[in-house]
Amino acid sequence: MMTIIRIIGSMRFAVGILLLLAVVLAWATVLDSRYGSEASAFAVYHAWWFLGLCGLLGGSVLASALLRFPWKKHQIGFVVTHLGILVLMAGCVLTFWRGQDGSLGLFEGASGDTAFLKTLHFEVTDGERVDEIPFRPGPFSWRNYADSSMKVEPSQRLSAFPWNGIPSDRKRPEWSVGNGVTVRVEDYVRGTVQPVSKEPTLVIWGPLEKGGKAETYALVPSRMDQRIHAPSGEAVVFWRTESAAEMAFFQNGTPDFINPTQAQLVLGLEGKIYRMPLNALPFGEAKGVEGTDWTVTLSRVEPEICMVKLTVANGKTGKNATLTLVADAPELSVQGRAENVFASLWVPTEKLEYVSPNGKPLPVEDDAERMKPMLERMHKLISGPRVEILEQGGQYATRFWKAPKLCRVFPVKVGKPFMVMPGLRMVIRSGEAEDFPGYAVVPMPISGKHHAQGGSVFVRLTATVDGVATTGWIRAADMVVGGTPEMPDDPTEVLWAQGKERTVKIMLKPDRVALGFRLRLDKFNRRLDPGTATAARYSSTVSLLDGEGNVLRENIVVNLNQPVDFQDTKTGRVWRVFQTSFRGPIPPNDPVFTQVVLPGDMREQLYVSWFTVNDAPGRGLLYFGCLLMVLGIGILYSMKAYFFK
């Protein structure tokens, strides 16, 4: 044991560790300048081996002091200096393990008591149950790593060392939440979104007897008055869905037409298909779906355009969905995607013939006569044979309808021609990949002025609920600025995973921490450089509030380089608040201004002030360790210890 202590406490060992640390720190500085501080912390400062080197340095300092025990008078400076180093390192370790850094944004006049951290978590909401999954993806888009199978430019490919060997959730991207729910991250991107420059295209060949000429069309969601028409006259309608359940219903929810003269309603409930004649539904009354807890209530019928409106409800679970079905324009139908309820209406005759079995007449609108010619013109636009194309997650399916029967339903492969019917041949050719409607996710460069640590965070998830998988992109939710009114969730920030009998909501959110006190931004102060719009200096005047909104201190000025300390009276934690940045002035015609400022408020502009809040529990040890080191060095030189024997 003494041999090991002598080796660790020797001058050669200490010099070797210091030289190695110097090389490592120089390398970390290069990484910082090229990739940013988050990458250098990921690769070096938070790596287990770097912490091990620091531990060896601390062990060397301790061993060198112990080897000289019992200490003599001329060694007091030496001992105090080494004690200062150990205290300093202890403060660093304590801050590393227990410290936190967050951001707090406030509108003028608003207050906040929660800071947002740089780390992320998935929030999985299943009814009343909410689970949080910590997510530590690393500083780069996953496709940039050397072992990724995704294609990127060679200049955007990271070297295998050191990045591939660093632990992160990239190595284990799947979690089981429990209760039949699993979440898997397929891709992670630090970047932005750009409009898709080219939609998929549909190529249609005309009949051979007419020359078989090919026509190319942009494959975009159809509008009633802008449908694609094949050379042989058939209409082509196209729409998209994010729901795998809707795609399955599209392929299986076809009519059987036992009675080929009656309209038929086809329902998709909990992954099963149910069919019933429309005339079996009494108008305005609930009709049970045989063998289920579901009921259907018909609330509106428009015979001129073959449209119905109905409510599908489950008396056992309390679910209900209101659907609008247009037989000749399924792309316009409103489905119950959130409730996992789908339906289609099939009318084999020229006009929808409906007679309620309860004898109840259909309600007549006041302007029915005036609207009738318009509805008839609308019906002419959408009636007739049609090809329906549905896209879900890059997969396509097609069905062809020509009254009084459905001719064909089949999946379609991109780039492979398919025959809809004799004389009608098509092929779908892919455009640029679309991650959000109309947009594609684009990674930021891994280095340079706009490196990967800028931009927003996007993840592509596959969520499995009760064996049903849903895949899609979501964007990490933004930090909430204090004073922002409560708004509905941004659709780009939510993935709805539909199971057999439930829908699970998944979001990616920044971690947050309660400060234990509340700050109110009373006024943002800005001074401009003469003759410019550039801020020479800026600060925030804030008030400290308790949990009930009572003012404890006011007129506290937080300057750019003069932070202020606030204490959580319950836990004793001291948060140091720094002035970081700002946004503004925001004029009254800005949508943000109208959302935040109440009517009657006469303000002509608005500011947002951003603060960095820092909790460093080892700060006192750091200061004390530095003081001991200065004191020890002073003792060394004052006593001229190096000349004593």
Side-chain angles (χ1 to χ4, degrees), residues 5-147:
I5 293 177
R6 287 191 182 94
I7 293 174
I8 295 177
S10 66
M11 180 66 73
R12 291 183 179 179
F13 186 87
V15 171
I17 290 293
L18 288 172
L19 289 175
L20 184 57
L21 278 172
V23 172
V24 169
L25 292 174
W27 176 50
T29 303
V30 173
L31 294 179
D32 193 302
S33 64
R34 182 174 183 183
Y35 300 113
S37 58
E38 188 178 345
S40 59
F42 178 69
V44 180
Y45 301 126
H46 292 176
W48 63 267
W49 54 266
F50 181 78
L51 300 179
L53 283 177
C54 293
L56 287 175
L57 178 61
S60 177
V61 172
L62 178 62
S64 64
L66 292 177
L67 286 173
R68 289 161 175 78
F69 186 81
W71 302 302
K72 298 179 176 59
K73 180 179 178 180
H74 69 272
Q75 294 174 325
I76 294 176
F78 170 85
V79 173
V80 172
T81 302
H82 282 61
L83 178 61
I85 295 174
L86 292 174
V87 172
L88 177 69
M89 296 185 71
C92 293
V93 171
L94 183 59
T95 298
F96 177 80
W97 289 111
R98 298 286 301 277
Q100 289 182 313
D101 286 287
S103 297
L104 173 66
L106 296 174
F107 283 105
E108 281 183 305
S111 62
D113 60 0
T114 302
F116 292 87
L117 308 180
K118 294 181 180 180
T119 52
L120 300 167
H121 69 272
F122 289 107
E123 183 180 272
V124 183
T125 305
D126 181 8
E128 298 296 325
R129 173 175 173 171
V130 179
D131 293 282
E132 293 188 357
I133 306 172
F135 183 50
R136 304 295 182 261
F140 300 106
S141 300
W142 287 358
R143 62 188 65 185
N144 296 124
Y145 288 87
D147 55 359

Side-chain angles (χ1 to χ4, degrees), residues 222-256:
S222 302
R223 291 174 50 184
M224 183 174 59
D225 57 342
Q226 293 183 353
R227 288 179 164 185
I228 299 172
H229 285 85
S232 50
E234 294 82 3
V236 179
V237 297
F238 169 72
W239 71 100
R240 295 187 172 100
T241 181
E242 296 181 359
S243 169
E246 184 174 358
M247 173 62 84
F249 175 76
F250 178 86
Q251 298 181 74
N252 300 306
T254 56
D256 53 19

Side-chain angles (χ1 to χ4, degrees), residues 275-396:
R275 300 174 177 86
M276 60 178 66
L278 187 66
N279 285 335
L281 296 176
F283 188 82
E285 296 181 9
K287 169 76 174 178
V289 180
E290 186 176 354
T292 73
D293 297 313
W294 294 89
T295 61
V296 181
T297 304
L298 191 63
S299 59
R300 185 179 178 185
V301 178
E302 294 287 351
E304 288 80 6
I305 55 173
C306 300
M307 185 194 81
V308 300
K309 186 175 182 180
L310 48 90
T311 300
V312 184
N314 189 308
K316 186 175 181 180
T317 64
K319 283 186 179 180
N320 69 84
T322 300
L323 283 65
T324 301
L325 308 177
V326 185
D328 293 322
E331 75 277 17
L332 304 180
S333 296
V334 178
Q335 304 286 352
R337 293 188 176 95
E339 298 81 13
N340 212 14
V341 173
F342 305 96
S344 57
L345 177 66
W346 304 91
V347 181
T349 54
E350 178 67 23
K351 186 178 179 181
L352 175 61
E353 303 289 344
Y354 170 74
V355 178
S356 178
N358 60 8
K360 191 173 183 178
L362 298 179
V364 179
E365 303 292 338
D366 294 338
D367 57 351
E369 287 301 320
R370 183 176 62 84
M371 295 291 294
K372 187 175 181 179
M374 186 190 72
L375 295 177
E376 289 177 349
R377 288 194 301 271
M378 187 184 301
H379 181 61
K380 288 181 181 180
L381 282 174
I382 61 178
S383 61
R386 66 181 180 273
V387 179
E388 302 172 4
I389 302 175
L390 179 64
E391 185 261 334
Q392 186 261 327
Q395 303 297 316
Y396 294 83

Side-chain angles (χ1 to χ4, degrees), residues 483-494:
T484 304
E486 188 172 348
M487 303 288 287
D489 294 325
D490 188 326
T492 64
E493 298 175 357
V494 182

